[in-house]
């Protein structure tokens, strides 16, 4: 109840936030940021996490962006949208996080990205749009056909991974 929540906010959360300054283990830091993301509605957690969306090692940033998406951190949408617009290793994570957040304000950003996105980014855009609009029939059909097509030729392995990743995200979200 309330006593447990107060203990978390006044004792555990400050300890986790303090650990952000020193924890650099590739195994521990993602779990640490995921734990903080689970408490993203607390102002102190939000204040600690927000700058980490845009700076730091990509591996840790990707983990944080994924966690914020999983926990529906609407407040992080604008910063995650900035990452989604950058062609690079975090683009798919950011696009899917926007979908998991589910805010329709992300749809214009996704539409703009789709116009110039690489073929391998299109599956994430389809999955994110499906998650936001809940209109998934055509997106799942596209992803399924892409998966089958890409599996038929070794030169499309990156596209195959992208389609499988997007379908896996939809599956984890109950679709």
């Amino acid at each position: 109840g309330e006593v447990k929540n107060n203990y978390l906010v006044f004792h555990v959360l400050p300890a986790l936030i303090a650990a952000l300054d020193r924890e650099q283990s590739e195994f521990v830091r993602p779990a640490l940021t995921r734990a903080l993301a689970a408490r993203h509605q607390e102002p102190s957690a939000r204040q600690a996490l927000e700058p980490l969306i845009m700076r730091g090692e990509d591996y840790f940033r990707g983990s944080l962006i994924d966690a914020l998406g999983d926990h529906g951190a609407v407040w992080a949408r604008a910063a995650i949208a900035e990452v989604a617009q950058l062609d690079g290793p975090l683009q798919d994570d950011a696009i899917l996080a926007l979908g998991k957040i589910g805010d329709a304000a992300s749809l214009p950003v996704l539409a703009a990205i789709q116009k110039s996105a690489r073929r391998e980014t299109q599956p994430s855009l389809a999955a994110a749009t499906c998650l936001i609009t809940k209109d998934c029939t055509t997106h799942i059909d596209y992803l399924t056909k892409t998966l089958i097509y890409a599996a038929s030729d070794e030169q499309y392995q990156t596209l195959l991974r992208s389609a499988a990743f997007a379908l896996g995200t939809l599956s984890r979200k109950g679709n």
Side-chain angles (χ1 to χ4, degrees):
E2 189 174 332
V3 171
K4 181 180 177 183
N5 190 49
N6 285 340
Y7 182 80
L8 285 171
V9 171
F10 294 113
H11 299 287
V12 176
L13 199 54
L16 293 174
I17 292 169
L20 280 174
D21 290 335
R22 64 181 180 278
E23 186 53 61
Q24 294 301 315
S25 166
E26 65 185 273
F27 302 108
V28 177
R29 188 167 176 98
L32 173 62
T33 56
R34 185 162 280 283
L36 286 168
R39 300 297 297 190
H40 72 90
Q41 67 277 26
E42 298 293 337
S44 59
R46 185 180 301 183
Q47 184 178 359
L49 294 174
E50 190 167 18
L52 301 179
I53 296 168
M54 296 303 292
R55 68 174 164 79
E57 292 184 41
D58 285 349
Y59 177 74
F60 297 142
R61 289 175 59 213
S63 176
L64 172 60
I65 289 167
D66 184 51
L68 291 170
D70 287 343
H71 291 288
V74 176
W75 60 267
R77 190 197 62 76
I80 293 172
E82 284 184 49
V83 176
Q85 294 175 66
L86 302 173
D87 190 29
L90 298 177
Q91 189 173 35
D92 285 320
D93 292 333
I95 289 168
L96 289 170
L98 291 174
K100 291 187 278 185
I101 289 170
D103 188 341
S106 296
L107 289 172
V109 172
L110 297 175
I113 295 168
Q114 188 174 26
K115 290 177 184 176
S116 62
R118 298 173 296 117
R119 174 178 35 198
E120 293 81 11
T121 305
Q122 297 297 333
S124 294
L125 289 161
T129 303
C130 164
L131 290 169
I132 294 170
T133 65
K134 309 296 187 233
D135 181 19
C136 296
T137 305
T138 57
H139 298 296
I140 292 174
D141 184 51
Y142 159 75
L143 290 168
T144 304
K145 287 178 180 175
T146 300
L147 187 74
I148 293 167
Y149 172 76
S152 69
D153 190 334
E154 280 192 31
Q155 73 178 357
Y156 297 114
Q157 291 303 299
T158 305
L159 181 60
L160 176 63
R161 284 190 292 277
S162 296
F165 185 61
L167 284 167
T169 299
L170 292 178
S171 177
R172 284 188 302 280
K173 294 304 274 181
N175 196 332

